[in-house]
Every structure is written in structure tokens, then in C-alpha cells.
Amino acid sequence: MAHVTTFHVFIILSSLSLFLLNYVSCNDNLQIAYQWKQIDFEFRNDQDRQEAVENGTFIPANIIPMGLEVYKNRLFMTMPRWKTGVPATLAYIDLNEQRDVSHLETKTEPGTSLENYPELWKNTYINYVRWHSNQQVNFFRSLAERYQNENNELKRQLAECKSREKSVRIEGFDEEKDSEKMLESNDDEDVVDEEFVSFLEITAKHRMERHNNTTQSPKLKPYPSWSAHSYEPRELVSPFRIRADQCGRLWVIDSGFNNLLPEEDRVAIRNPSLVVYDLHNDNLLRRYEFPSDQVKNDSLFANIAVEDDDCENTFAYVTDIFNPALLVYSWKQQSSWRVHHHYFHPDPLAGNYSIGNISFHWDDGLFGIALSKPQSDGYPTLYFHPLSSTNEFSVSTKFLRNETAATNQQEIFNEFKTLGTRGPNGQSAVSFLDKITGVLFYTLPNLNAIACWRTNSKTKTYTIKSQGRVFMSPVDMSFPNDIKVDDQDRLWVLSNKLHIFMYSELNPNDVNFRILTATVKDAIEHTACDTKTKPLTEIIDRLGGILRPSTTIPPAQGAANTSFNLSIISTIITIFICLIK
């Protein structure tokens, strides 16, 4: 057998290094869906907005989104009352709003077809037909711009069109066959359907009124209504995180605090509460206020996970980040209990943060929680970690759902498992587990990154090598603060520059808040979490044999070239075989 020289080892390591660099890199497939310099709302009218600004109930600089959830065609966000001037603490945007024209009052039917329009309206009508068939969704935006830029000319032409004595309808208009004839028709003989012209005028005005509400930075609609946020006592005081379950319910964990910053101005309006809405009709289903003996003086209930496999026997898990504990709530029993464990507490060696040019120290406890699908015994696994920690832990909900056992720390202590570490600067805020792929996603604020780990891998080892980087950017991912996977298996991430908001001041001319998204499949592609690739640890084990020192006696001098060639060829073939197996 050929002798493996130092040069051969160098060749192998170089090849391996190039492969590993490619393997552990990611595609950064997350795309910006929405972004804001400052948060704004859809007020009832301009006067209400102006009054809110003047009386201090709306101060855009004091608003920061913290929680994120996506359910069907709505994207929800929470805006806790860190400071004064937050008019609504829970709001949403319609993901399909640019396609929605149901609010337009018009008698024109989608199938209306007209003959011999003036040149201006021929193209407009054709575009309208295409839009209605979902082939041209930007039509109204261009029409609004046209209306705004050529207002007087458009009004003149509208008046001219409306002065026509009659209108003609052609039944069974076929766009492909008839559009060319329409364009070739004689303008002198053109007549116009007044209903359709009226439809265009209403649409143009509506779009002009909303021209500042772009699809990239849409204004938020208060949820469930303005009245829920406007009248005392408010339905919601200051929610941090939310969760929509598969039963069509929106769970809101309301901290109950006003004016979280500065700390000396903090006011507890009410005990922390679970507020649950019916997403089918937006009605309030239930409000549960946690008992005083489960709320400590320095408690902050900041995150929630919902075990919703049984809609009538649902359990909610809520984290107390400042006085580390896990609150368990039973929907069926309408009661809760407080669970304690050493693993909920912060790591004293992991409290230092440095993001950009801002350094600070936090000693925050239990924060990130994520639920798997039910395991073989019928109970999901709860993955969790304190914010100021680089370690990940887990426990079966079997031991949390039993109030008697869960509140006896000594009885269930050993049921909590230590999984492993995320490494230096691996403090993680929130996490979420995609039940389809079994991939656990989590945020890394210190690294401005999103990472992942396959909970269902063969080895199930939680090491730096088995974790993948999904996305990293000091600009687009400046303090990732919430992460979710929706029912269409799309990953959503909210970044909000929280460190700047707390310790400096956000620049209103910069983009400060972003929501990024991608399918889970695209997000994990070419990472250690990719379900189509072998885990990195397996590949390293396969290549390990190549790097072991040879005990073979060196060949004769005359055979050096032959040995060298055989060794190189053998190395290349071995690496190739390892990679394709």
C-alpha cells in the first residue's frame, strides 16, 4: 500500500476544507417581504391620526414590533408598550391586500365587455380583464399613479367619456380574439360604458388616497379592532408574543405592563394574562389572568408555545424570563401551574452581548421554547433555553401536563435533558420547530443570524458541527427577535434592532424593522439541516479513515513516482466514494 506522506495529507485536507466550506455555507435564501422605517397604522381617518400625534397617544419613534405570527392570509405583529405613544399593541397586515378590491363600490361585473372604447380606455379595459384573471395585479397601482400625475387630463377625458349618449355591451368578449379588433377600431365611433368608467374613477381615487401605504411598508390594522385598544380597560395592555394554533385560535400572552422603559417608570396595569381570540370571526374566546401566587414581583411573561393536537385538551406553555419559570395552562381545566428547574436560569458566563457597536449585559432566563410533534408515547418534546445561555435543553410534556408531578421539582428533575451547546456567542432568543421536517430554527442575536438543527437526525447530537446557518446579515438580520413557520411550511423572521432601541436611538431615516421569509425547504438547503444531505458528522467520520497515519514500510526509491500517483488517485477515489454514498 502506498505510503501517505505529509504532502498527501495536505492535498486531502485542502480538498476536505474546500468541500466543508461549501457544505456548511448557506444560500441565504430568505427574502425581505416587508420593511419599515417606522410603524404606522390605518387610523379611521386623517383627523384621528393627527389628534393621536398631537395628544401623544401615537409617537412613531416609540413603537417597536416584537412578536410575529402568520395565519392564512394575515400576518400579525405585537408592539409592547415599552414607552408611551403606542396606540395599538396587536395589529396585522393582509398578505393578499394588493389583490383585494372587494371594498370598491361598483356595479361593474368582472365579465363586462365593451365595444369601441377611446384609445385610453381600450388598453385600460384589456388590462382590467387580465388583472381579474390574476395575470395583471399591478394595474390599479399604475392607474393611481396616472391619476395622480395627470389628474386634470384624466378628469377631462372622464367627463368627455361620460358625455357620450349611449353605451354598448358585447356579450361573450374574448380577450385574445377581440382585443386586437378593439385596438384597430375607429375612435370617432367609440362609445363607453359609463358603469365601467365610474369603476375606474372610484378605483383611481381609492388608490390615490392609499398611495403612501405601499406593499413594502404597509400600515398596520389594529386587532381585533380600534376599540379594543382605545377604551379603558383595554382588552390588551402590552403583549410580547403570540401563537395561532391549528384550531383557529390566536393565543396572546399579555405582560400587563405599561412603560417598560425606563424600568423605574414601569407600571403593572394587571396581572399577566392569556387572551385567546377566534380567528374565524375575531371574537374574544377567553381571558385567563394568572393567579397572583404564580406572578412574582419581577416577572415578565414574554413567550408562548401551544400544544394543540387536541383542540379541547390544549396546553399553553408560557415563559417567565426575569424570574425564570415555565407556566403551564390547561384549556380544558382552565387552570395553570408554575414549574421550576435549574435549567431555566441564565448562565453567568453567557451574559455579555455585543451587537454592532453596542455592548451590554443581560441575565435573562427561560425564553426560547418550541414543541415537536407527538412522539411514540403521544407527548411532544419541549425544546427550551434561557436567553443568556449557549446551551439547549429538552423535556417531554408528559411531565409538564401533570400538575402534581410538574410542581414537584425533585420528582421530575432528571426528566430534563441537556442536549448540547451552540458555541461562543451562541445566545439564542426565540425558537420554533417545523413539525414537517423536524428542523428546529432559532435566532442568534449576537451573530445577527438564524440557525437550525435537525431534531430527527440519526445521531440526534446537538453540536456545533450538527447545526446549520440559515441566514446571517448585520443589516437585514440586526437582532432577530421572532421566528415562526406557518401552515404552508414557510419560515418567517422578524428583526427589529432591539439593542439600538433600548440603548441608543433608532434613526427614522433608516430601515429599522424587517420581515424576511422563505419556504423551509429553501431555507435549509445546503445546510447541516438539509433533509436531502448527509449530516456533516457522518461525512467527517467517513473521511476520518483517510487521515489516519500509515504504518506501511516506505517503498523503494525507484517506486516513488508510482506510489505518489497511486496515492493521489486512491485519495481522490476514496473522497468521491465517501461523498456519494
Side-chain angles (χ1 to χ4, degrees), residues 200-250:
L200 293 173
E201 186 176 25
I202 293 171
T203 302
K205 288 181 178 179
H206 177 81
R207 292 298 300 179
M208 187 172 67
E209 291 172 357
R210 296 167 60 90
H211 73 277
N212 288 326
N213 191 15
T214 67
T215 56
Q216 189 179 37
S217 305
K219 294 179 180 179
L220 307 187
K221 302 176 182 179
Y223 185 88
S225 64
W226 267 117
S227 59
H229 301 270
S230 303
Y231 304 109
E232 299 291 348
R234 296 188 180 104
E235 274 189 19
L236 298 170
V237 178
S238 192
F240 272 74
R241 297 299 185 295
I242 48 181
R243 177 70 183 124
D245 66 18
Q246 65 177 8
C247 311
R249 298 172 297 201
L250 182 66

Side-chain angles (χ1 to χ4, degrees), residues 53-105:
V53 172
E54 292 175 354
N55 62 30
T57 57
F58 177 41
I59 306 175
N62 288 357
I63 302 174
I64 181 171
M66 291 289 291
L68 166 76
E69 180 59 291
V70 176
Y71 182 80
K72 297 189 182 299
N73 66 326
R74 289 191 286 188
L75 186 151
F76 297 88
M77 288 195 296
T78 64
M79 282 72 59
R81 289 190 164 90
W82 289 91
K83 304 175 183 179
T84 59
V86 183
T89 59
L90 176 61
Y92 72 96
I93 57 178
D94 190 332
L95 297 176
N96 297 326
E97 188 174 34
Q98 64 270 31
R99 298 175 184 269
D100 181 15
V101 292
S102 59
H103 50 270
L104 296 178
E105 297 178 0

Side-chain angles (χ1 to χ4, degrees), residues 498-519:
L498 177 62
H499 56 300
I500 301 177
F501 179 82
M502 293 184 66
Y503 300 110
S504 182
E505 187 175 349
L506 294 174
N507 187 338
N509 297 316
D510 293 341
V511 173
N512 293 305
F513 318 122
R514 293 177 174 86
I515 292 177
L516 298 90
T517 187
T519 64

